[in-house]
Amino acid sequence: MSTRTAALLGAALLLTACGGGGRIGDAGDAGDGKRMVLIPGVSAEPFYISMECAFREAAQARGYAVDVQAPAKFDSTLQTPIVSGVLANRPGAVLIAPTDDKAMAGPMRQLKDAGVKVVEVDTRLEDTSIAVSTVSSDNEQGGQLAARTMAKLVGDKPGSVLVLNTKAGTSTTDARAKGFEDEIGKYPNLRYVGQQYTDNEPDQAVSKLTATLAAHPDLVGVFATNLNTGEGASTGLRNAGRTGVVNLVGFDASPKQVEDLRAGAVQALIAQDPATIGRTGVEQAVAALEGGEVRREVETDLVALTRADMDANEEYFYKQGC
């Protein structure tokens, strides 16, 4: 084999390996326009499982192949490589719950720049120029509903109330905390003592609540802004012997939270509708891909559940599997 022939063969092999010379995810890579990927905020969480079940059913009914890839923790450093891996195969659309409203902007913009239709589900970026649609609960309204529910539970009794939040920079839970803070000020018998961040870890919720009980023995209410903080808060109150004495209002309706509500360990839950979020996310993605009308903002319902009315609203209970 001559030197020239070897060089030409090497160049041909290199070109083949590189997919025709383009970078993975470039517009030159046709991708798979009939494939949708869901990237939830975290794996094995009933809220996102409920969303996933509806996503799979709705996308497959419209003739799309589906894939679901979730980080093990609600963490942008874990979600970013998932986005990069999905980008390599260029699906038609990606439904994603960004785990940080700033840090995920770069990876998600790469999806958009590659021609992938991006739909935000549950959480959102600060940058509104990347997603074609955002489907989410009205989380600030949810926080307001939590405050009104708390005030009704406490009645005229004076005391302090605490918010246990997850991670700063999570758009949904920050909005819930803001809505609660704005609304709780309307009740003069309730003194808001601020929020504590738990890093989305139940054991952190336990320790933060324990410290607050020591600092504020008049604590009469806790609002936990998501599933993990709610489960941790329930454990913390049980450990302190304050279950039912301190009113706990949680957010979301996982099987464990529903069990705690039925048993009296939680006094109320603000439940979202993750199945509708998943189905609606698919509808918006299909509209973007097939030339239909895309709604930039879609808000889904929330409901306050108490032990008295929970069974009448069981459609809001989250799933553990499809």
Side-chain angles (χ1 to χ4, degrees):
M1 181 185 296
S2 70
T3 302
R4 173 178 171 79
T5 301
L8 289 172
L9 179 59
L13 289 171
L14 180 60
L15 183 63
T16 301
C18 292
R23 289 180 297 111
I24 291 175
D26 277 355
D29 177 9
D32 185 355
K34 292 296 290 183
R35 180 168 167 265
M36 284 190 196
V37 179
L38 172 64
I39 306 177
V42 66
S43 64
E45 187 173 274
F47 173 87
Y48 288 119
I49 292 171
S50 300
M51 182 189 296
E52 174 188 339
C53 296
F55 159 78
R56 288 183 180 276
E57 182 180 1
Q60 289 171 344
R62 297 296 295 266
Y64 286 81
V66 298
D67 189 18
V68 179
Q69 299 186 39
K73 296 178 68 174
F74 196 91
D75 189 323
S76 61
T77 63
L78 299 179
Q79 194 177 47
T80 294
I82 292 175
V83 173
S84 299
V86 167
L87 176 62
N89 295 314
R90 280 197 58 222
V94 169
L95 281 65
I96 181 171
T99 51
D100 189 285
D101 59 5
K102 299 181 184 67
M104 290 307 300
M108 288 169 62
R109 182 170 290 283
Q110 288 184 329
L111 290 172
K112 178 189 176 183
D113 291 346
V116 179
K117 304 301 183 184
V118 178
V119 176
E120 294 168 329
V121 285
D122 182 37
T123 54
R124 67 178 67 206
L125 299 174
E126 279 191 352
D127 186 342
T128 60
S129 69
I130 295 173
V132 296
S133 180
T134 300
V135 185
S136 178
S137 306
D138 185 337
N139 286 286
E140 191 165 332
Q141 183 185 71
Q144 294 167 353
L145 179 58
R148 292 193 295 271
T149 303
M150 179 72 74
K152 185 176 180 180
L153 289 167
V154 173
D156 295 331
K157 182 179 179 179
S160 299
V161 293
L162 166 73
V163 169
L164 285 175
N165 204 345
T166 173
K167 290 186 176 186
T170 304
S171 63
T172 51
T173 55
D174 285 348
R176 294 166 198 168
K178 181 182 184 302
F180 185 90
E181 181 178 356
D182 291 345
E183 187 73 14
I184 205 69
K186 298 177 181 179
Y187 303 94
N189 61 308
L190 299 179
R191 183 168 64 92
Y192 178 59
V193 296
Q195 63 179 316
Q196 299 278 344
Y197 288 103
T198 68
D199 202 33
N200 204 37
E201 296 292 344
D203 60 342
Q204 287 294 313
V206 173
S207 63
K208 296 293 175 66
L209 178 54
T210 301
T212 302
L213 284 167
H216 301 280
D218 67 335
L219 193 72
V220 294
V222 177
F223 171 45
T225 65
N226 79 333
L227 186 152
N228 283 343
T229 54
E231 292 187 355
S234 176
T235 299
L237 290 174
R238 183 170 62 250
N239 292 348
R242 304 294 295 277
T243 299
V245 178
V246 177
N247 291 281
L248 175 57
V249 176
F251 212 100
D252 291 316
S254 73
K256 176 64 166 62
Q257 288 171 295
V258 169
E259 178 184 325
D260 284 347
L261 178 61
R262 196 179 300 281
V266 175
Q267 282 62 58
L269 296 172
I270 309 302
Q272 302 182 78
D273 191 354
T276 295
I277 293 174
R279 280 191 296 269
T280 306
V282 169
E283 291 169 4
Q284 299 309 303
V286 170
L289 288 166
E290 300 182 3
E293 181 181 352
V294 180
R295 296 168 60 190
R296 183 61 189 84
E297 298 278 345
V298 184
E299 291 181 344
T300 57
D301 292 338
L302 300 105
V303 62
L305 305 175
T306 64
R307 184 158 56 169
D309 61 17
M310 60 187 296
D311 289 327
N313 293 286
E314 64 180 0
E315 70 269 23
Y316 288 96
F317 297 174
Y318 301 172
K319 297 180 178 180
Q320 287 183 303
C322 299

